[in-house]
Amino acid sequence: MNPETSDTLDQAMVRSSGLDTLLRDLTDRAVREVPGATACSITVRRSGRLLTLAGSDGMPSGLDLRQYENGSGPCVEAAETDTEQYVPDTGAETRWPSYTAYALSVGVRCVLAVPIAVEGERGAAINFYGVRAEALGTGREAARAFAARAADAISVALRIERRRESAADVRTALLSRSVIDQAIGILMARERIDARDALERLRRVSQDRNVKLRDLCGQLVAKVSGPDSRRRQ
């Protein structure tokens, strides 16, 4: 991969407004950069299962899914064994008959799956597809170089995504804590009890009604601060 390609990949990360945008940009770019590739997809194991994070324009929607459902195919093999898989001609391939039959039905004659190391995930690959037998034979080195560069970008993007999810979890926890504290304050004022007794009472009602403590407290706060409450004051 030439320096210009590396620069444009970095620029794609800066321009990207999210993981989906970045990955789609990478797969489209792979088709342009790897000789013989007419489609590209990215496979990553997340939450214990393989899934396609992104696919380029012209990518048959069921091409990867068939492999995940059957638990076999070049993309699955590359991701799970960390070994490159090359199918020069799906019409002559015998390892995955169900998959190759489907690939032929959608016009895919050549497949190259290159394993990639993605930070924080176990099992990943970038997959290249060609419409002619042996189409990717001369592009394998370019595909490997692109995959190595893409792995870095994907790792950074996933790291950012995990941080965003973590920050969202923290915000949710803080909001929950805030509404619980408000509900405790309301009970303390109404019942002339201390904070510990107020919390215990809320927990007991939460269990009896099979309602989350946060939701119960939210209902109490909303009831006290609602329009009807203000009219009674």
Side-chain angles (χ1 to χ4, degrees), residues 157-173:
L158 288 173
R159 190 187 313 144
I160 293 170
E161 193 76 358
R162 283 191 291 269
R163 287 175 180 170
R164 287 176 179 170
E165 291 172 355
S166 177
D169 290 342
V170 169
R171 285 195 295 272
T172 299

Side-chain angles (χ1 to χ4, degrees), residues 22-202:
L22 167 65
L23 297 182
R24 183 58 181 270
D25 188 76
L26 286 177
T27 55
D28 286 341
R29 195 172 298 279
V31 173
R32 297 195 295 270
E33 297 294 333
V34 176
T38 56
C40 174
S41 68
I42 298 171
T43 295
V44 171
R45 180 177 294 283
R46 303 197 77 182
S47 301
R49 65 188 182 94
L50 290 175
L51 53 84
T52 298
L53 292 183
S56 64
D57 283 334
M59 173 75 187
S61 60
L63 202 53
D64 291 347
L65 183 60
R66 287 299 179 97
Q67 298 182 71
Y68 307 151
E69 291 175 342
N70 296 332
S72 65
C75 306
V76 171
E77 193 77 12
E80 293 191 340
T81 68
D82 198 32
T83 305
E84 182 178 305
Q85 303 294 318
Y86 181 48
V87 180
D89 185 356
T90 53
E93 179 59 62
T94 59
R95 288 177 289 177
W96 309 290
S98 176
Y99 169 70
T100 51
Y102 180 77
L104 283 169
S105 74
V106 294
V108 172
R109 290 294 302 275
C110 185
V111 182
L112 173 63
V114 182
I116 54 177
V118 176
E119 179 185 318
E121 307 293 344
R122 298 177 60 186
I126 184 165
N127 318 302
F128 304 88
Y129 302 94
V131 295
R132 294 178 294 99
E134 298 282 0
L136 294 160
T138 59
R140 292 178 71 175
E141 285 300 325
R144 291 167 189 151
F146 191 96
R149 185 70 183 90
D152 293 338
I154 295 168
S155 291
V156 171
L158 288 173
R159 190 187 313 144
I160 293 170
E161 193 76 358
R162 283 191 291 269
R163 287 175 180 170
R164 287 176 179 170
E165 291 172 355
S166 177
D169 290 342
V170 169
R171 285 195 295 272
T172 299
L174 289 173
L175 288 172
S176 297
R177 185 68 256 176
S178 174
V179 76
I180 291 170
D181 286 343
Q182 290 179 61
I184 288 172
I186 291 169
L187 276 187
M188 289 174 66
R190 276 185 175 180
E191 307 295 332
R192 307 298 182 184
I193 55 179
D194 62 21
R196 179 181 299 178
D197 289 340
L199 178 57
E200 183 57 36
R201 186 173 298 186
L202 288 167

